[in-house]
Each structure stands twice: as C-alpha cells, then as structure tokens.
Amino acid sequence: MSFDKDKVLQRCNSYGKNTLMETLEIQFIDAGEDFLTATMPVNPRVHQPMGLLHGGASVALAESVGSAASMMFVNGEKQEVRGIEISANHLRSKREGVVTATAKIIHKGASIHLWEIRIVDEEEKLVSLCKLTTMVLPRKKKHD
C-alpha cells in the first residue's frame, strides 16, 4: 500500500477534535513515511507566568506529534498506541510566533517505537529536543 500524505494529515488533524491538541491549536502540516510534522502557535494560551512558552506545552506538542506518528505504523482497527516515556530538553525560549515539531523514527519495533522530536522556531532554531517512547497495544473491544 502506498503512502498517502493527504490522508495521513487529514486523519491526524481529525484525532484532535475536543482534545488538548485542539486547545493548544496543534495542526499537522507535513508527513512522510518516517516522519510527521505539526505546528503550535505561541501566545498567552501556552505561556508560563514569565510570558514564555511553557515547557509543558512543548512536551504536549512533542507527545502529540510522536504518538500520532506511531499510529502511521500500526493497524488502527486492531492496535492502538500509548506514550510510555518522554524526555525534553528546552534549549531556547519563545514568546510569540509558531513552533514546529517534527517526529522522526529512531526505532520501529513490533511493540515499541522510539521517536526523536525536534521543536524549532520560524528560523529553524532549536527550541526543544524531545525523545518519546510509545508502546503498541492490541485495541480493546468496546463494551456496551
């Protein structure tokens, strides 16, 4: 089956309805066979008290893009993905504008995926560097 970038982006953006991703205005903008990219505006909604991008908002962006990227590699009808560990190094502050996160696969196992997520500003300067581990689980049947 060939990779369909538009279908992947449409599906990823639809996942965010009525979630933290919608609250943070995260939008998936690019995808490839081994990466996924999303943006998030930097405004008072994601600031910490000093008026800077909150590290937790950066981590939420990183986990959102990495978890969605893992979903590209599983059978969504039979499997689901859970983030099990995330680490982040915040390297540059940001007050306004947009940050862009790109998740690239480091390890794609049958049950564990490891992602590197680079969050950059509009000038491609590194804001945060994150690592996310996701676990692939069998999808549980819904009960009535």
Side-chain angles (χ1 to χ4, degrees):
M1 186 163 122
S2 66
F3 180 79
D4 186 338
K5 174 181 164 177
D6 292 332
K7 188 174 182 180
V8 167
L9 293 175
Q10 181 182 20
R11 184 174 41 228
C12 288
N13 282 312
S14 72
Y15 288 153
K17 299 290 183 200
N18 301 313
T19 69
L20 179 64
M21 291 182 292
E22 183 175 66
T23 300
L24 298 178
E25 299 180 56
I26 294 170
Q27 291 291 311
F28 293 91
I29 61 162
D30 197 11
E33 293 187 8
D34 65 347
F35 77 93
L36 184 63
T37 301
T39 60
M40 181 178 71
V42 179
N43 54 42
R45 179 179 285 172
V46 297
H47 283 170
Q48 42 93 312
M50 298 296 294
L52 301 170
L53 174 61
H54 194 294
S58 295
V59 170
L61 171 62
E63 183 151 358
S64 296
V65 73
S67 293
S70 271
M71 288 298 296
M72 296 188 321
F73 294 128
V74 302
N75 178 340
E77 293 178 10
K78 296 181 180 180
Q79 297 169 304
E80 54 192 25
V81 171
R82 295 286 184 276
I84 59 172
E85 183 177 10
I86 190 163
S87 64
N89 293 97
H90 305 300
L91 305 169
R92 181 179 306 278
S93 60
K94 183 109 176 105
R95 290 189 183 277
E96 60 184 19
V98 174
V99 288
T100 301
T102 300
K104 292 188 178 178
I105 191 78
I106 295 171
H107 172 76
K108 182 177 74 168
S111 60
I112 297 287
H113 297 167
L114 179 61
W115 295 91
E116 177 185 78
I117 300 107
R118 297 176 62 87
I119 301 175
V120 299
D121 66 12
E122 299 91 339
E123 297 174 358
E124 298 294 318
K125 292 181 181 174
L126 190 59
V127 174
S128 295
L129 180 62
C130 306
K131 184 177 76 173
L132 172 68
T133 306
T134 58
M135 180 187 306
V136 180
L137 299 168
R139 182 171 290 281
K140 294 182 179 178
K141 294 180 181 175
K142 294 181 181 179
H143 298 284
D144 293 327

